[in-house]
Amino acid sequence: MANFICPVLNARLTSPFGWRNIGRGKEWHQGVDLASPIAGLKVPIYASASGEVVWAAPLSTYGNSVRILHKIDGKTYETNYAHLDHMMVSKGQLVKQGQQIGVMGNTGGSFGIHLHFEIHNGRYAVGQPNAVNPMKFISLFNTNQENGDELTMSQYTELKEMITELRKENSDLKKQLENKLDAQKVREPLDCHKDDWKWFKANGITDGTNPQDYVTREQVSTLLHNMDSFNTKKFKK
């Protein structure tokens, strides 16, 4: 999936993609409307991806509009940013992802300050035949628009899939471990191992807290029993 970022910092979705009725009858909304969580400010609008500005002028009910042509992984996309208060780029200019291209406004056929944002899978055309739901490409919760280092929707989806797969693998390993532990028989330390452990504590070799499990005790005790110096010291009496 192409790597797009939300053009508004920590945006609020006010009108989704698809059919809607906002007082003008049923209509097809070929983009999404985004508002800022903080009202009354000159809210910056950012390029959703790197590309070339192919339109930067008023356009019918869009008002002040900027369109950017993108070439991503061999595919062509075009984004549209409408109802801008004013534009900060011009036609033919190359922009980077996260670069400010304008300020949120209320121009054209708009009922309030917001950004109408479109993503086209291919070139923009009258009637918006290539318009796709931007929410399949972007996340509303961005942390650093200008650097473009937010977690995009495509990255979020990929990360979610990875986490799901890791959880599945972890669950399988946990079951295997539980089955293996259930198959083991609980064994008590031999008397000689218990006796050795008491001697370790008495002579300051251990405080008795670690290790205490049977296997470790057995290994330590067996190892020391194979050492002539240990046996001489312990059993000299």
Side-chain angles (χ1 to χ4, degrees), residues 40-206:
L41 296 178
K42 295 292 185 180
V43 179
I45 302 301
Y46 302 96
S48 187
S50 300
E52 178 185 356
V53 177
V54 293
W55 182 277
L59 179 64
S60 184
T61 57
Y62 280 129
N64 292 330
S65 174
V66 170
R67 296 205 311 268
I68 303 175
L69 180 64
H70 313 279
K71 299 289 186 179
I72 304 174
D73 297 330
K75 295 189 63 176
T76 298
Y77 298 89
E78 194 166 329
T79 50
N80 186 20
Y81 313 76
H83 307 313
L84 300 176
D85 180 78
H86 62 274
M87 298 160 285
M88 300 173 63
V89 292
S90 56
K91 184 177 179 179
Q93 182 177 341
L94 298 179
V95 296
K96 294 182 179 180
Q97 184 181 60
Q99 179 178 334
Q100 186 174 355
I101 59 173
V103 172
M104 185 182 290
N106 189 28
T107 59
S110 172
F111 294 105
I113 296 175
H114 72 284
L115 174 73
H116 173 79
F117 176 60
E118 299 173 2
I119 295 181
H120 297 262
N121 188 359
R123 293 301 304 269
Y124 170 89
V126 177
Q128 297 81 31
N130 296 324
V132 294
N133 187 355
M135 297 314 299
K136 293 183 178 180
F137 293 83
I138 67 171
S139 167
L140 295 181
F141 303 101
N142 308 332
T143 56
N144 192 332
Q145 289 288 122
E146 294 184 350
N147 290 335
D149 61 358
E150 65 156 340
L151 185 66
T152 65
M153 182 57 71
S154 58
Q155 291 170 332
Y156 167 78
T157 302
E158 183 179 357
L159 181 60
K160 185 177 180 181
E161 292 174 353
M162 290 175 59
I163 291 174
T164 300
E165 186 63 28
L166 287 173
R167 284 178 175 171
K168 180 181 178 181
E169 291 179 3
N170 183 59
S171 178
D172 291 341
L173 289 172
K174 186 177 180 181
K175 288 181 180 179
Q176 292 178 26
L177 179 60
E178 289 175 349
N179 292 336
K180 187 174 182 179
L181 291 176
D182 289 341
Q184 291 181 345
K185 294 182 179 180
V186 178
R187 296 183 297 172
E188 289 291 329
L190 300 176
D191 289 340
C192 65
H193 297 149
K194 292 180 180 179
D195 181 58
D196 288 343
W197 202 251
K198 292 178 182 178
W199 188 88
F200 298 156
K201 291 175 64 177
N203 287 272
I205 299 175
T206 178

Side-chain angles (χ1 to χ4, degrees), residues 204-222:
I205 299 175
T206 178
D207 60 4
T209 60
N210 183 45
Q212 293 197 58
D213 59 280
Y214 166 74
V215 176
T216 308
R217 283 193 186 191
E218 182 183 54
Q219 291 172 340
V220 172
S221 179
T222 302

